[in-house]
Amino acid sequence: MSKIAKISIEKFDNKEQILYDFDQTKSLQSNIKNICKKLSLPDNTKQVYGLKYLPIKNNDQAHYISEGNFQDIKHSDCLKVVFSVTYILRRIAENLFDENEERRRIAYEDIYRNSLDPVFIDELKISGIDEMLMRVFVERQSSSGEQLGLLMTLVHLFSKNYVENTSFDLLSKTLSILKNTDTSNEEIRFALSLLQKILISSNEAFEPWKERILREVLFNDLNVYVWRDSSQPLQYVALLLINTMIKVSKGEKRSQLIKQMNIRKTRENIYNFIIMEGNFDRNMEHELYVLQTYLLSLFAEALHSKINLDDNNLFRREEFELGREDMRRITILMDFDEANAQSYFSVEDLAFNNRFSRISLASMRSEDASTSPRTTFSRAYSENDKVNAISHLTLEALRYYKTAHRRNFYQSQIEEQLYEPGIFSTSERVVRMLAKMLHIGLDPDTKSTFYQPIIFYCSSKTPFFLELFSRTMWLLSRTRRDMKASTYADYEKVIYILQKQVRIALKNRPKDFKSLTTEMSSTSFQTVIQKIQNDKEMEMADMLKNHECLLQLKKKYRAINIENVLQQRLKFLLDGTQMTEILDKKNQTKTFLQLSKNLKELSIFNVVSDTKHTHKASYNVDDITHIVIGKNCNHVGSCEVPGQAFSIIVKYEEVAKLKAKDDKMAGYWTDALLLLTKKATDENLSKYYEEELELLIEMDIRLQLLELQNVAIPKSAPVIPPLPQNVKPELPPKPKMRNIIRLKI
């Protein structure tokens, strides 16, 4: 079966293009031979000529066409006739060691120009010329431009695992390039990239090289490339190599590297010269996330180590947990107007510092505990829900919260005692939630870009994780109020909403703690609910578009709903519509169009008044030969928008030039007439036809999905319950009696 791709070919020596039918059932060389013949080029028996993709707006790289990828050529692709890879490789081999400087320059230019082309790299390996380039790279002193092309080619060879042994000491040469102060940024970039490719190689032959890289390449030297006046590609490769070195390191060496990157000055350089500069791509975002994960892994040991709550060697429960006597006193404060936060906190501070007046203290103690707000909450809490141990990280977070944000801590302390399950259980839950969100103790996700700028900005006195914990505990108090959650049964719902709130706030990547507080303040319970609904709607839209089972359902319901839309259109025509008929450029009249009940005849009436029409003409629907729509109508100039105009052609004669009230009315009429006359196509049906059809299909599928989710859909209207016995129904008023005149006969 013939498979032809209609493409354009740019000539070898100029920008002129020709059209060509690329036959993909034949070989690539056969097509190139025909192209050469069509362009009057010499016969291609020595494979001098080849084809490349022309650079386009979204892809500026022009890769070679090969026997392995020419089947991917599509209609409208643009190709260019160029020297073939075989010819280029032959020219490199002949000129690379030539004494003539001009010929050597041509060879190096060929290497540089094609170093990132995958087809060139494949053919380079097959031909064996790759070893020639490695020998030149190691043994010869090349200029900056020549060295750059060789480095780029070697990086590409490593990325395809084409370098299999250490017979050429590429590593020593690469390290010497980095030590050279005259090396350009581009050379440094590809030298760093080459080291990174060596580190991730699965070939055991490179293990000694990996050990040497970890031993000789220092983070202090790599960090220079983060803040050095350079391009983002160099900064990205520097971060990539740093993360790779941490990844392949083990044990104490790994911890040392992470601690080096956790130095405040190092993090601030990343914050100032990368994050604050902005405008970087997803790859850079991912590397920032990876480095963030390594920095936060310093909390992993504290996260996974446990402390028994009854162990008094490290802390006393009374430091964080309220006693029964304190709770009975302090619950009185919960009745205060929380709108006045300043006075609320000032009284709270007095309570915790035992500075109440004797009168106030006496009145609080005399308060009956049974009348406190605590007894008004229905409890679903049991002793089994309590935690017996917390992590060291949770203890550290609580201590930080109490010291750095004392008033907010007191508020959380009161509420956790009041609403339960208590400050320790909730704190442990929040720490675990945040640790999971930030991947603490886990390997970095291969696709995530969830980095947080504050991690690279904060000081050792205000650690990001501990500050985030403090704000999350404060947000928990506010979320409870927003949700009006007053029982332990609501606890899981509150935590679920809290997790969503924190993730939404962090997704906006606040750049300082003040911005973080603002983001968390603006993320209300209603915002989360709206976000959940939007996510579900987006998920449903994606399923409707891509899910294979739903696509099959769409085909089934499409056939059903095509008939439904047709019936709606026909009902519209049966009811009839008043329009404007264009007689000529200056004259127009009101016309009423109506389809007969048997769907066979179209009648046109002159409008005398709103209630009176006179018959003008009738036409058999089968005699309609054309429906002219929109801009194709001669009278389109008489309409406000082109969509209002359509004409009816009966037996190739125009019988009515019509102007509808709007394009929707015109669309309904033209849709129905086209469907009746079986002249409908996807192009001439109105936009409303496809929109309404898709809407009906989607509604059917959504109802089907509800049934699949075991949601009962009633087949008939529910039974109306009887009226209450103590309510009498209102009877309709009695009709007024009219005077009846009796006629005597």
Side-chain angles (χ1 to χ4, degrees):
M1 183 177 177
S2 178
K3 187 178 178 183
I4 303 296
K6 296 184 179 295
I7 61 174
S8 62
I9 303 287
E10 187 176 291
K11 292 184 177 181
F12 176 76
D13 51 355
N14 57 53
K15 299 291 185 180
E16 185 180 347
Q17 294 185 359
I18 64 167
L19 296 178
Y20 180 76
D21 292 341
F22 196 100
D23 191 348
Q24 292 173 316
T25 61
K26 297 180 180 180
S27 67
L28 174 62
Q29 290 304 319
S30 176
N31 278 283
I32 293 176
K33 184 177 180 180
N34 291 335
I35 292 170
C36 289
K37 184 177 180 181
K38 193 170 183 178
L39 296 177
S40 301
L41 292 171
D43 191 7
N44 201 40
T45 53
K46 294 185 178 181
Q47 297 187 12
V48 174
Y49 299 106
L51 293 174
K52 259 188 176 183
Y53 283 107
L54 271 177
I56 56 178
K57 186 175 182 180
N58 297 328
N59 180 15
D60 59 353
Q61 295 189 9
H63 297 322
Y64 271 104
I65 305 296
S66 69
E67 293 289 352
N69 65 22
F70 81 92
Q71 294 290 343
D72 297 332
I73 296 175
K74 303 180 182 64
H75 289 299
S76 302
D77 278 348
C78 297
L79 309 181
K80 181 175 179 60
V81 178
V82 293
F83 286 128
S84 68
V85 176
T86 304
Y87 177 80
I88 294 294
L89 291 174
R90 193 160 59 232
R91 191 163 68 179
I92 291 173
E94 292 172 355
N95 297 336
L96 194 60
F97 296 99
D98 199 292
E99 294 181 359
N100 187 296
E101 184 178 347
E102 181 63 22
R103 291 181 179 178
R104 287 201 311 274
R105 184 185 64 79
I106 293 173
Y108 279 110
E109 285 181 356
D110 287 337
I111 295 169
Y112 175 81
R113 191 182 302 112
N114 298 287
S115 58
L116 300 180
D117 192 302
V119 176
F120 175 81
I121 296 298
D122 292 342
E123 294 296 326
L124 185 67
K125 177 63 179 176
I126 294 171
S127 66
I129 299 177
D130 60 322
E131 294 189 359
M132 180 189 299
L133 298 186
M134 285 187 276
R135 184 168 70 253
V136 170
F137 176 72
V138 173
E139 298 176 359
R140 293 184 60 175
Q141 187 67 31
S142 305
S143 66
S144 178
E146 295 170 350
Q147 198 163 249
L148 178 59
L150 293 171
L151 275 169
M152 293 167 67
T153 305
L154 289 173
V155 168
H156 206 162
L157 285 167
F158 263 99
S159 66
K160 289 202 166 193
N161 296 318
Y162 285 163
V163 182
E164 300 170 349
N165 56 67
T166 58
S167 56
F168 296 102
D169 195 0
L170 304 174
L171 180 57
S172 296
K173 179 67 174 183
T174 305
L175 293 175
S176 67
I177 291 173
L178 293 175
K179 293 175 183 178
N180 187 351
T181 56
D182 295 330
T183 306
S184 67
N185 282 351
E186 280 296 285
E187 289 177 271
I188 294 172
R189 172 191 166 194
F190 284 98
L192 296 178
S193 183
L194 185 57
L195 295 180
Q196 192 267 341
K197 298 298 181 187
I198 294 171
L199 286 175
I200 63 174
S201 174
S202 59
N203 193 333
E204 294 182 358
F206 295 112
E207 289 301 320
W209 283 14
K210 295 180 182 180
E211 294 175 4
R212 185 180 173 188
I213 292 172
L214 294 175
R215 185 174 60 253
E216 296 187 17
V217 178
L218 304 178
F219 274 10
N220 289 339
D221 298 330
L222 294 178
N223 286 329
V224 172
Y225 304 125
V226 172
W227 55 264
R228 180 176 175 178
D229 292 335
S230 59
S231 60
Q232 285 187 0
L234 176 56
Q235 294 173 328
Y236 164 72
V237 173
L239 273 184
L240 177 62
L241 179 57
I242 288 170
N243 288 333
T244 305
M245 291 176 67
I246 295 174
K247 179 181 179 180
V248 300
S249 300
K250 305 295 181 184
E252 186 61 28
K253 176 66 174 177
R254 182 188 178 104
S255 298
Q256 290 177 359
L257 295 178
I258 294 174
K259 289 176 182 177
Q260 288 182 42
M261 293 305 298
N262 197 38
I263 296 173
R264 182 176 181 181
K265 184 62 178 176
T266 301
R267 290 187 284 106
E268 282 186 353
N269 284 334
I270 295 173
Y271 180 85
N272 292 325
F273 294 99
I274 296 180
I275 295 176
M276 292 305 292
E277 289 295 323
N279 297 323
F280 44 78
D281 59 13
R282 186 179 179 85
N283 291 331
M284 178 70 86
E285 291 179 349
H286 175 69
E287 293 310 316
L288 289 171
Y289 152 77
V290 172
L291 181 56
Q292 164 188 295
T293 306
Y294 290 142
L295 295 177
L296 291 175
S297 67
L298 296 172
F299 290 111
E301 185 177 354
L303 176 66
H304 297 305
S305 59
K306 292 287 187 179
I307 305 172
N308 195 302
L309 291 178
D310 296 324
D311 184 359
N312 293 325
N313 294 323
L314 295 175
F315 75 103
R316 290 178 298 113
R317 298 183 67 142
E318 294 77 13
E319 293 181 43
F320 307 104
E321 199 171 45
L322 291 174
R324 183 173 301 177
E325 182 70 17
D326 291 327
M327 191 60 208
R328 183 162 19 107
R329 262 199 335 262
I330 296 170
T331 49
I332 305 299
L333 299 175
M334 299 301 293
D335 292 333
F336 278 47
D337 183 9
E338 290 182 311
N340 190 358
Q342 188 63 38
S343 62
Y344 170 78
F345 283 130
S346 62
V347 174
E348 198 174 65
D349 294 341
L350 289 171
F352 275 92
N353 287 283
N354 295 319
R355 290 200 297 264
F356 281 118
S357 65
R358 293 183 178 180
I359 298 175
S360 299
L361 188 58
S363 62
M364 290 178 187
R365 287 179 175 173
S366 64
E367 186 75 26
D368 188 356
S370 62
T371 63
S372 68
R374 182 183 179 85
T375 60
T376 63
F377 301 121
S378 59
R379 299 173 61 186
Y381 172 72
S382 67
E383 292 297 322
N384 295 330
D385 294 321
K386 283 187 175 181
V387 295
N388 298 318
I390 59 174
S391 68
H392 277 82
L393 183 56
T394 303
L395 176 59
E396 184 179 355
L398 276 171
R399 281 177 172 164
Y400 182 87
Y401 187 27
K402 182 178 180 181
T403 303
H405 306 281
R406 182 166 50 97
R407 295 179 176 182
N408 297 124
F409 171 79
Y410 291 156
Q411 179 182 355
S412 298
Q413 193 179 35
I414 293 170
E415 292 199 354
E416 293 308 319
Q417 184 73 7
L418 178 65
Y419 294 110
E420 299 167 334
I423 190 72
F424 291 117
S425 296
T426 298
S427 298
E428 179 73 7
R429 183 73 176 269
V430 169
V431 165
R432 296 284 171 185
M433 177 189 79
L434 297 178
K436 183 178 180 181
M437 191 180 300
L438 296 169
H439 297 173
I440 296 178
L442 303 175
D443 291 331
D445 189 282
T446 56
K447 296 181 180 179
S448 178
T449 59
F450 192 67
Y451 79 93
Q452 296 303 312
I454 308 178
I455 290 178
F456 302 94
Y457 172 78
C458 63
S459 66
S460 57
K461 295 181 180 179
T462 56
F464 169 76
F465 185 83
L466 303 185
E467 282 287 339
L468 179 62
F469 169 83
S470 302
R471 285 164 173 77
T472 304
M473 291 294 290
W474 163 79
L475 183 61
L476 174 61
S477 299
R478 200 194 69 173
T479 302
R480 273 204 186 98
R481 289 171 170 79
D482 290 345
M483 296 179 65
K484 297 180 174 58
S486 58
T487 68
Y488 182 71
D490 299 324
Y491 184 72
E492 291 299 326
K493 300 174 187 176
V494 175
I495 294 295
Y496 174 78
I497 296 298
L498 179 68
Q499 180 180 1
K500 295 286 186 182
Q501 287 175 302
V502 175
R503 184 170 289 278
I504 291 172
L506 293 180
K507 191 174 182 180
N508 293 326
R509 295 183 182 137
K511 289 185 169 59
D512 52 50
F513 287 122
K514 184 177 180 180
S515 300
L516 176 60
T517 305
T518 303
E519 290 290 346
M520 298 180 85
S521 299
S522 62
T523 310
S524 63
F525 167 58
Q526 289 76 17
T527 304
V528 174
I529 295 299
Q530 186 62 46
K531 177 73 165 52
I532 293 172
Q533 292 175 348
N534 293 341
D535 290 344
K536 287 182 178 180
E537 191 60 34
M538 289 176 63
E539 182 182 2
M540 173 62 72
D542 183 67
M543 287 178 62
L544 290 171
K545 187 176 180 181
N546 301 313
H547 198 284
E548 185 175 351
C549 295
L550 296 187
L551 291 176
Q552 293 178 2
L553 271 178
K554 285 182 77 172
K555 291 181 180 179
K556 171 187 172 183
Y557 287 121
R558 187 177 185 85
I560 297 172
N561 285 300
I562 282 176
E563 182 63 27
N564 291 335
V565 175
L566 173 60
Q567 293 303 320
Q568 183 271 340
R569 296 292 194 268
L570 293 178
K571 184 180 183 305
F572 188 79
L573 269 63
L574 289 169
D575 292 339
T577 309
Q578 182 173 305
M579 300 187 199
T580 301
E581 184 177 0
I582 308 299
L583 302 177
D584 51 46
K585 290 184 178 181
K586 295 182 179 180
N587 298 318
Q588 48 187 273
T589 184
K590 291 184 178 180
T591 299
F592 187 82
L593 272 70
Q594 189 174 31
L595 184 67
S596 63
K597 293 183 179 180
N598 61 3
L599 311 181
K600 297 292 185 180
E601 193 173 65
L602 178 65
S603 298
I604 302 177
F605 300 87
N606 289 323
V607 177
V608 179
S609 64
D610 292 340
T611 58
K612 185 177 180 181
H613 302 155
T614 59
H615 183 267
K616 179 181 178 182
S618 295
Y619 305 98
N620 290 330
V621 172
D622 293 339
D623 292 337
I624 298 175
T625 51
H626 293 88
I627 302 295
V628 186
I629 303 171
K631 292 181 180 179
N632 296 322
C633 297
N634 295 328
H635 63 285
V636 68
S638 302
C639 304
E640 289 77 21
V641 292
Q644 292 177 286
F646 70 98
S647 299
I648 300 174
I649 310 296
V650 177
K651 294 182 178 180
Y652 305 100
E653 182 180 349
E654 189 174 46
V655 298
K657 298 178 181 179
L658 300 166
K659 172 187 172 183
K661 181 178 67 174
D662 51 42
D663 59 346
K664 186 173 185 178
M665 178 188 291
Y668 277 18
W669 268 90
T670 56
D671 288 344
L673 293 175
L674 288 168
L675 291 167
L676 279 175
T677 57
K678 298 181 179 173
K679 294 179 173 60
T681 64
D682 293 338
E683 289 75 20
N684 60 20
L685 288 171
S686 71
K687 64 179 181 179
Y688 301 103
Y689 180 85
E690 189 63 30
E691 287 176 1
E692 293 170 10
L693 181 59
E694 286 296 324
L695 179 61
L696 291 172
I697 294 171
E698 184 176 332
M699 289 171 62
D700 281 331
I701 292 178
R702 286 177 182 269
L703 290 173
Q704 185 71 28
L705 291 178
L706 285 175
E707 291 181 350
L708 292 175
Q709 293 172 359
N710 297 320
V711 178
I713 300 176
K715 302 297 183 182
S716 57
V719 178
I720 300 174
L723 291 172
Q725 295 180 355
N726 58 347
V727 177
K728 294 182 179 180
E730 293 184 4
L731 298 175
K734 294 182 179 181
K736 295 180 179 180
M737 298 299 294
R738 295 181 179 179
N739 294 328
I740 300 175
I741 301 175
R742 297 179 181 275
L743 298 177
K744 293 182 179 180
I745 301 176

